[in-house]
């Protein structure tokens, strides 16, 4: 490892420590906001691990998240909460592998539509099954303090940053950067492009499912519209793009301001949130195509602080 | 030919696109340390042949063997790993990466796989070979056209391939660059590399190729030592366009 590696590991550990200490110093409102931030940090960072290098925009986050909440909801009668989180992760990874094998050979546009359709389809199927069986939703009987959710999500975030950091230094990470630049070159350089993409797609799949499982008790009662809300998929994409997917910490830079802004907007304009979401998406793509990370690197190179590595 | 070992063989290779037969029953061998020119008029099927060998396209019929092992049923990445490396007709760089990383792509995943410092060292050695060691940290967008071609060459060489496929590697160069380009390929030839060269530049063909296979309308119309093939009346006719619709 190089000295810069130790430095980034050190900074990461320090930030994690600060994040862990947060519940002891902030009030209830801020803690609730922090839970959302931690959740979106987890989702957006794992999303960017795959979509950043490959440029495949996945709108499947809600599908995996919902899968996780339902794994928890249905499993709690038989298994303990702690065991169900990794099980949800395994389900997520498995479903992601199946979807990946079926769709990642296709070009990006088909993939986007497929992933969006997948979330909707899953929601409709569960709604249909529930209507057929006369059941409306699932009541979750366990309950945790807000800080407990927060710590679980922070731990998951720490794990994702570590995985992302390791991938960035691995052959797989290098392969994905090549695939993102030119898939043809990648194939002719000896890279199994399909396998690399499927492997990486399993990460956001597993993570979103685990997040859904962790969060299920927070909802208390889960039904398809909560568990599979398409809004979640779009929020994750927007936050990741706002921050920038070129660096591991990029999405985090998007999650923090967006979560605060979102909280303010949805409190002030509860009926126009979807409209505002759409507008902010357009604004980000138009004004900040490389996100805050891109802006930062551009400023850095303009003001002569090296090449911005 | 007889004393040299055959590295690459094409046996009755055919490629059909619907009703169009782009390559028809093509046979030829490439011997170790040989530079074989695959030449012919535009649309004669040369690049398609290269795409078939490298696995970018799959053969409709026939077989391609590398050291007597069938490779024509393998995907492109496996063919690359077995030691067939190629450049592209339109040079393809990895724009977000440095020149060094562009070359490392071949070192990390190619025929001879290396990782970390060893890959970096090998990539640097290849950059020295093509004369670009000073541009290692540049981005491809900052390079001249011939330099991007050099980077691409370094990327395929670094994996130490058994066969090198150069698809019009010298096309689009100005006269000075062309001279440098020919010199570079000559150097590879002297190192004993096995090369299949799809080329239009006659000077390059004459000075670089040991033998040529001439294609016209998807078929082989001649093969043999370069000077002899280029003097063949049928080859001249094909180039003048009478036979090539």
């Amino acid at each position: 490892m190089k000295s810069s590696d130790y430095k980034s590991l050190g900074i990461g550990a320090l930030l994690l420590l600060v994040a862990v200490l947060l519940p002891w110093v902030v009030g209830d409102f801020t803690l609730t906001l922090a839970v959302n931030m931690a959740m979106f940090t987890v989702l957006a960072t794992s999303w960017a691990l795959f979509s950043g290098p490959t440029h495949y925009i996945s709108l499947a986050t809600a599908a995996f998240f919902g899968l996780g909440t339902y794994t928890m909801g249905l499993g709690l009668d038989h298994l303990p909460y702690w065991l169900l989180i990794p099980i949800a992760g395994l389900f997520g990874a498995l479903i992601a592998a199946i979807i990946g094998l079926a769709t990642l050979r296709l070009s990006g546009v088909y993939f986007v539509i497929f992933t969006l359709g997948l979330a909707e389809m899953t929601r409709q199927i569960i709604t249909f099954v529930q209507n057929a069986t006369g059941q409306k939703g699932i009541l979750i009987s366990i309950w945790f303090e807000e800080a407990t959710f927060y710590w679980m999500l922070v731990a998951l975030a720490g794990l994702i940053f570590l995985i992302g950091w390791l991938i960035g230094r691995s052959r797989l990470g290098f392969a994905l950067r090549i695939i993102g630049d030119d898939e043809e070159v990648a194939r002719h350089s000896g890279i199994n492009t399909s396998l690399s993409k499927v492997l990486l797609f399993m990460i956001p799949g597993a993570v979103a499912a685990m997040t859904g499982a962790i969060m299920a008790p927070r909802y208390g009662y889960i039904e398809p519209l909560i568990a599979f809300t398409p809004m979640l998929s779009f929020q994750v994409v927007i936050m990741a793009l706002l921050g920038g997917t070129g660096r591991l910490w990029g999405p985090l830079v998007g999650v923090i301001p967006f979560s605060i802004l979102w909280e303010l907007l949805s409190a002030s304009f509860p009926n126009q949130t979807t409209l505002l979401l759409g507008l902010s998406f357009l604004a980000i793509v138009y004004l900040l195509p490389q996100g805050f990370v891109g802006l930062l690197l551009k400023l850095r190179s303009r003001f002569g602080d090296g090449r911005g590595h | 030919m007889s004393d040299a070992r055959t590295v690459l063989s094409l046996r009755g290779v055919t490629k059909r696109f619907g009703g169009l037969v782009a390559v028809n029953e093509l046979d030829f061998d490439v011997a170790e340390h040989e530079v074989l020119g695959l030449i012919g008029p535009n649309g004669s099927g040369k690049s398609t042949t290269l795409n078939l060998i490298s696995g970018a396209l799959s053969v409709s019929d026939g077989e391609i063997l590398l050291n007597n092992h069938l490779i024509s049923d393998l995907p492109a990445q496996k063919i690359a790993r077995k030691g067939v490396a190629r450049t592209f007709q339109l040079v393809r760089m990895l724009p977000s990466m440095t020149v060094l990383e562009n070359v490392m792509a071949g070192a990390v995943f190619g025929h001879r796989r290396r990782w970390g410092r060893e890959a970096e060292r090998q990539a640097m050695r290849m950059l020295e070979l093509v004369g670009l060691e000073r541009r290692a940290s540049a981005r491809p967008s900052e390079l001249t056209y011939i330099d991007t071609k050099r980077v691409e060459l370094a990327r395929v060489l670094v994996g130490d391939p058994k066969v090198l496929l150069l698809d019009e590697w010298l096309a689009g160069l100005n006269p000075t660059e062309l001279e440098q380009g020919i010199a570079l390929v000559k150097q590879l030839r002297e190192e004993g590399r096995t090369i299949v060269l799809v080329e239009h530049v006659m000077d390059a063909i004459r000075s670089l190729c040991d033998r040529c296979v001439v294609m016209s309308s998807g078929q082989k119309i001649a093969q043999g030592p370069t000077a002899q093939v280029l003097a063949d009346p049928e080859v001249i006719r094909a180039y003048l366009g009478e036979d090539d619709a």
Side-chain angles (χ1 to χ4, degrees):
Chain A
M1 286 211 306
K2 292 183 238 165
S3 66
S4 62
D5 290 346
Y6 286 111
K7 198 174 129 194
S8 44
L9 270 185
I11 293 173
L14 196 70
L15 285 175
L16 192 67
L17 184 70
V18 171
V20 167
L21 296 176
L22 196 76
W24 282 297
V25 290
V26 299
D28 286 350
F29 172 76
T30 315
L31 188 59
T32 300
L33 187 62
V35 171
N36 282 334
M37 278 188 196
M39 180 180 91
F40 279 113
T41 300
V42 165
L43 294 175
T45 306
S46 64
W47 181 89
L49 276 183
F50 168 74
S51 295
T54 60
H55 308 304
Y56 278 84
I57 303 286
S58 160
L59 290 173
T61 308
F64 294 117
F65 186 89
L67 177 79
T69 53
Y70 268 83
T71 305
M72 184 58 76
L74 296 169
L76 266 178
D77 288 343
H78 315 283
L79 292 166
Y81 177 79
W82 302 107
L83 193 59
L84 284 166
I85 297 172
I87 289 175
L90 284 178
F91 280 161
L94 186 70
I95 302 284
I98 295 168
I99 296 167
L101 286 170
T103 60
L104 285 172
R105 288 165 202 272
L106 304 176
S107 78
V109 182
Y110 294 101
F111 180 76
V112 179
I113 296 167
F114 186 93
T115 53
L116 179 63
L118 177 83
E120 275 304 284
M121 186 190 74
T122 322
R123 184 164 73 93
Q124 297 294 345
I125 289 174
I126 292 184
T127 308
F128 176 78
V129 171
Q130 289 196 341
N131 286 342
T133 55
Q135 189 189 15
K136 284 287 168 255
I138 301 169
L139 201 65
I140 297 199
S141 50
I142 57 165
W143 179 83
F144 297 114
E145 295 277 350
E146 198 75 334
T148 310
F149 288 114
Y150 175 77
W151 280 319
M152 284 192 281
L153 291 168
V154 167
L156 189 56
L159 183 68
I160 293 158
F161 275 103
L162 186 66
I163 290 172
W165 187 81
L166 290 172
I167 288 175
R169 269 143 197 79
S170 71
R171 278 172 191 256
L172 178 62
F174 190 46
L176 285 154
R177 285 177 60 207
I178 299 169
I179 293 170
D181 265 8
D182 191 326
E183 196 157 341
E184 194 78 355
V185 169
R187 286 193 330 123
H188 287 286
S189 297
I191 296 170
N192 189 335
T193 54
S194 305
L195 182 69
S196 308
K197 286 188 286 186
V198 170
L199 277 178
L200 209 71
F201 187 54
M202 289 165 73
I203 296 176
V207 169
M210 286 167 78
T211 311
I214 289 173
M215 296 296 273
R218 194 166 180 251
Y219 298 122
Y221 177 77
I222 53 171
E223 53 163 3
L225 202 57
I226 296 173
F228 293 94
T229 172
M231 184 81 103
L232 185 80
S233 303
F234 285 102
Q235 279 174 304
V236 165
V237 175
I238 291 172
M239 290 188 206
L241 293 184
L242 175 65
T245 56
R247 293 290 183 278
L248 187 57
W249 45 268
L252 180 65
V253 184
V255 164
I256 294 171
F258 196 92
S259 303
I260 295 170
L261 189 72
W262 189 251
E263 198 63 37
L264 295 173
L265 286 177
S266 55
S268 314
F269 309 99
N271 298 321
Q272 289 83 25
T273 42
T274 316
L275 174 70
L276 292 167
L277 186 77
L279 287 176
S280 52
F281 188 50
L282 291 178
I284 291 164
V285 171
Y286 190 73
L287 298 171
L288 284 173
Q290 307 293 322
F292 285 138
V293 171
L295 187 71
L296 203 71
L297 296 179
K298 210 154 89 182
L299 288 176
R300 236 168 65 171
S301 66
R302 184 172 301 170
F303 294 110
D305 186 21
R307 295 182 40 88
H309 275 289
Chain B
M1 259 308 280
S2 55
D3 54 339
R5 206 165 60 91
T6 298
V7 180
L8 186 74
S9 308
L10 278 75
R11 300 265 171 271
V13 170
T14 300
K15 179 63 185 178
R16 283 182 287 270
F17 295 104
L20 175 82
V21 184
V23 175
N24 195 3
E25 296 272 328
L26 186 64
D27 296 287
F28 66 79
D29 289 336
V30 184
E32 202 171 15
H33 311 308
E34 178 182 41
V35 179
L36 180 85
L38 190 55
I39 64 173
N42 277 327
S44 56
K46 313 178 296 286
S47 282
T48 305
T49 305
L50 226 55
N51 285 334
L52 292 170
I53 300 171
S54 66
L57 295 171
S58 56
V59 296
S60 308
D61 256 317
E63 47 191 31
I64 301 170
L65 305 154
L66 180 72
N67 290 331
N68 287 323
H69 294 286
L70 190 68
I71 57 165
S72 44
D73 60 346
L74 298 177
Q77 72 270 10
K78 286 205 175 147
I79 295 175
R81 272 182 246 161
K82 292 213 177 277
V84 177
R86 68 167 298 174
T87 64
F88 296 90
Q89 205 166 5
L90 297 169
V91 63
R92 296 181 96 126
M93 290 284 98
L94 304 168
S96 77
M97 301 191 186
T98 64
V99 164
L100 183 68
E101 287 174 320
N102 262 273
V103 179
M104 278 177 70
V108 173
F109 300 102
H111 175 47
R112 298 229 183 285
R113 309 191 129 202
R114 304 174 177 93
W115 180 234
R117 273 170 219 274
E118 182 53 27
E120 214 173 297
R121 223 182 349 257
Q122 284 300 326
M124 207 61 208
R125 265 191 47 204
M126 286 305 130
L127 281 177
E128 281 164 23
L129 182 82
V130 299
L132 277 179
E133 66 276 16
R134 286 166 197 276
R135 307 306 307 274
S137 58
R139 302 270 154 182
S141 58
E142 301 164 22
L143 298 182
T144 60
Y145 186 59
I146 187 166
D147 283 350
T148 58
K149 294 210 154 202
R150 286 191 167 120
V151 174
E152 203 181 39
L153 191 62
R155 183 169 69 211
V156 294
L157 284 173
V158 74
D160 196 16
K162 291 175 184 152
V163 181
L164 193 57
L165 310 175
L166 301 183
D167 194 357
E168 298 196 28
W169 191 74
L170 297 160
L173 301 181
N174 69 35
T176 323
E177 292 173 338
L178 186 62
E179 219 168 275
Q180 297 169 351
I182 291 177
L184 194 52
V185 181
K186 229 175 214 166
Q187 191 184 332
L188 300 181
R189 179 197 146 110
E190 274 151 26
E191 284 174 14
R193 303 262 180 190
T194 309
I195 300 174
V196 178
L197 200 71
V198 166
E199 200 49 71
H200 277 300
V201 183
M202 277 300 163
D203 282 349
I205 296 165
R206 276 200 195 88
S207 62
L208 294 173
C209 301
D210 301 299
R211 279 191 318 130
C212 282
V213 167
V214 189
M215 291 181 74
S216 179
S217 304
Q219 275 172 321
K220 183 173 76 179
I221 58 166
Q223 73 172 337
T226 305
Q228 186 187 322
V229 161
L230 291 180
D232 186 326
E234 199 185 346
V235 173
I236 295 168
R237 211 165 35 241
Y239 262 98
L240 289 176
E242 288 169 25
D243 280 348
D244 202 56

